[in-house]
Amino acid sequence: MNLEKTLDNLHARVVRNRFLQLFTVFTRVLLAIGFIPPSIKKILHQPFTILPDSNPVGHYFNALYQTGFYYEFIGWAQLIAAVLLLFPRTAHLGAVMFLPIIINIAVLTNAVGFKGTWLVTILMSLAALYLVCWEYDRIKPVFFHKRQSKADVFKLEFVWLPLLGAFGGIGVTVLFYVMGIGNFHRNITPVALTLTIGGFIFGLIMAIQHRFMRIGDLEKLPEAVLD
């Protein structure tokens, strides 16, 4: 039995357990509640902490508070993730969005020595990871399935795309030289060489990407079978 089939069967057993279903609902609501209050403070642009700048935690959050719109953006991201978790139809989106946010917070609280909070954020990260695993069947195509067909590759694509990229690098060099950007006129030769080689590599990567690009419908997903 391959890995995909094993995970399918394991997931099918887990999600059909009534106690785990209740635990999952409990976890979703708990994590959502954990994000909503701090998100509101950020959206309203209120300080997250009253610690002084002499404290590493206070110094970080005071600096974050001074970023203005970015501070509010974090609040909106937290609120959206929390709200998505509260609805079964969007819970998978909420879990996927919640996980990187809380992992970032967990790393931060450990890095600045936020006493007590570091443990809470680690537990929240594990809980978010559990919720992502619960939604395995809704996100598994990212890992196990691909589109049915490959893209139609142009003739000599691996030749003219890199060359086009190289000419593009030369064009950028000329443009920057004429506009006087970055004082390139003082080091025109190494800059031109670097951008030309960089453009060639850029075009080569494009050709490789296109060569292996998949298009069309997803391949048929096999149904989970309980042994």
Side-chain angles (χ1 to χ4, degrees), residues 87-138:
F87 296 92
R89 183 173 291 273
T90 59
H92 62 301
L93 298 176
V96 171
M97 187 175 179
F98 197 102
L99 182 60
I101 297 175
I102 192 60
I103 288 179
N104 179 68
I105 295 174
V107 173
L108 166 66
T109 54
N110 279 270
V112 299
F114 208 148
K115 294 182 179 179
T117 306
W118 67 271
L119 179 59
V120 174
T121 55
I122 289 177
L123 293 176
M124 291 179 69
S125 298
L126 294 175
L129 179 61
Y130 165 80
L131 292 181
V132 170
C133 293
W134 181 270
E135 306 294 347
Y136 159 79
D137 57 327
R138 303 171 84 174

Side-chain angles (χ1 to χ4, degrees), residues 1-213:
M1 182 178 293
N2 60 28
L3 177 61
E4 180 184 358
K5 185 64 68 174
T6 300
L7 292 176
D8 286 345
N9 292 339
L10 176 61
H11 179 263
R13 287 191 176 92
V14 169
V15 297
R16 290 175 183 175
N17 186 296
R18 289 180 295 175
F19 296 102
L20 289 178
Q21 292 169 10
L22 287 178
F23 176 74
T24 300
V25 172
F26 168 80
T27 304
R28 286 175 178 172
V29 176
L30 185 64
L31 290 185
I33 293 174
F35 256 17
I36 291 176
S39 70
I40 297 299
K41 288 180 70 70
K42 294 183 181 71
I43 291 171
L44 297 178
H45 209 80
Q46 297 176 353
F48 186 75
T49 178
I50 57 174
L51 294 173
D53 281 342
S54 58
N55 184 292
V57 178
H59 180 72
Y60 174 84
F61 281 107
N62 290 336
L64 184 63
Y65 175 71
Q66 298 299 325
T67 59
F69 174 74
Y70 178 65
Y71 185 74
E72 298 168 13
F73 170 79
I74 295 175
W76 281 110
Q78 288 180 295
L79 182 62
I80 292 172
V83 172
L84 289 174
L85 274 179
L86 293 176
F87 296 92
R89 183 173 291 273
T90 59
H92 62 301
L93 298 176
V96 171
M97 187 175 179
F98 197 102
L99 182 60
I101 297 175
I102 192 60
I103 288 179
N104 179 68
I105 295 174
V107 173
L108 166 66
T109 54
N110 279 270
V112 299
F114 208 148
K115 294 182 179 179
T117 306
W118 67 271
L119 179 59
V120 174
T121 55
I122 289 177
L123 293 176
M124 291 179 69
S125 298
L126 294 175
L129 179 61
Y130 165 80
L131 292 181
V132 170
C133 293
W134 181 270
E135 306 294 347
Y136 159 79
D137 57 327
R138 303 171 84 174
I139 61 178
K140 63 173 285 189
V142 175
F143 302 99
F144 288 108
H145 296 284
K146 55 189 177 183
R147 296 185 176 98
Q148 294 180 357
S149 306
K150 289 185 178 181
D152 297 325
V153 178
F154 291 98
K155 187 176 181 180
L156 299 178
E157 188 173 286
F158 275 83
V159 176
W160 62 263
L161 264 179
L163 291 178
L164 184 63
F167 281 112
I170 295 173
V172 171
T173 303
V174 174
L175 179 63
F176 283 5
Y177 179 81
V178 172
M179 297 179 63
I181 297 177
N183 293 321
F184 282 175
H185 60 281
R186 298 179 180 176
N187 301 287
I188 187 64
T189 301
V191 169
L193 183 61
T194 300
L195 290 179
T196 300
I197 295 175
F200 183 89
I201 295 174
F202 182 88
L204 182 61
I205 293 174
M206 282 186 58
I208 295 173
Q209 279 269 359
H210 192 214
R211 170 64 178 79
F212 294 99
M213 177 183 286

